[in-house]
Amino acid sequence: MKLLFPLLAMLGGAAVAFQVQINGGLGKRTGVLEASLISFVIGTLALFFIVLFFGKGNFMAVSTVPKWQLLGGLLGAFYVIVTILIVPKLGVAPTLIAVIAGQILLGAIIDHLGLFGGEVKPIDFKKSLAIILLFISLYLFNHK
């Protein structure tokens, strides 16, 4: 089990690499916003059938959650639009490095402050150095 979750996370990351390139190509043919909608409609249909056949939760509990927890869908839409716009200009790897840099930086801040009900995990020297090195890699990867 100790390796299963990191491997699943890596598979999720690999799926994102495919997704951004596929969506970028779709965006060139259909338009950025149109490709975003197409991607979300197909994803929504897939999730509908997965929930229909395998779901065990309480879908109706959505009315009881704090309303800010419903922003995930909007943030996902923003992410898809941005990657569809950026991938054709930068390429997959530079786009993903920038996405990962943003995720790690904000993730470290969220952990440091314990935002959204999370456990406080302070930013220490090693984490700060890792973030700096990540941004250096972003610069080096994109510098010609």
Side-chain angles (χ1 to χ4, degrees):
M1 271 304 200
K2 203 169 191 177
L3 288 176
L4 179 62
F5 292 132
L7 288 174
L8 283 174
M10 286 181 64
L11 284 174
V16 168
F18 283 116
Q19 178 195 27
V20 297
Q21 178 63 11
I22 290 166
N23 283 349
L26 182 63
K28 284 183 185 176
R29 292 183 178 261
T30 64
V32 171
L33 297 178
E34 293 77 5
S36 300
L37 178 63
I38 292 165
S39 178
F40 267 85
V41 167
I42 292 170
T44 299
L45 286 171
L47 285 170
F48 172 78
F49 287 109
I50 291 168
V51 169
L52 184 66
F53 293 112
F54 303 106
K56 302 224 185 308
N58 181 4
F59 192 81
M60 299 314 290
V62 70
S63 63
T64 66
V65 302
K67 299 307 173 222
W68 63 266
Q69 289 181 345
L70 302 176
L71 291 175
L74 291 176
L75 294 170
F78 176 74
Y79 166 75
V80 169
I81 291 168
V82 166
T83 58
I84 289 172
L85 182 66
I86 301 300
V87 164
K89 293 169 180 39
L90 291 183
V92 174
T95 298
L96 290 177
I97 289 172
V99 166
I100 291 166
Q103 288 173 336
I104 290 175
L105 177 62
L106 193 55
I109 292 168
I110 290 169
D111 282 348
H112 182 75
L113 299 174
L115 298 178
F116 311 112
E119 181 183 330
V120 173
K121 296 177 183 170
I123 296 174
D124 58 12
F125 176 76
K126 280 192 335 187
K127 289 179 185 176
S128 297
L129 181 60
I131 290 168
I132 291 167
L133 290 172
L134 180 62
F135 279 94
I136 290 170
S137 73
L138 178 61
Y139 171 78
L140 291 174
F141 208 94
N142 289 299
H143 186 64
K144 295 184 181 180

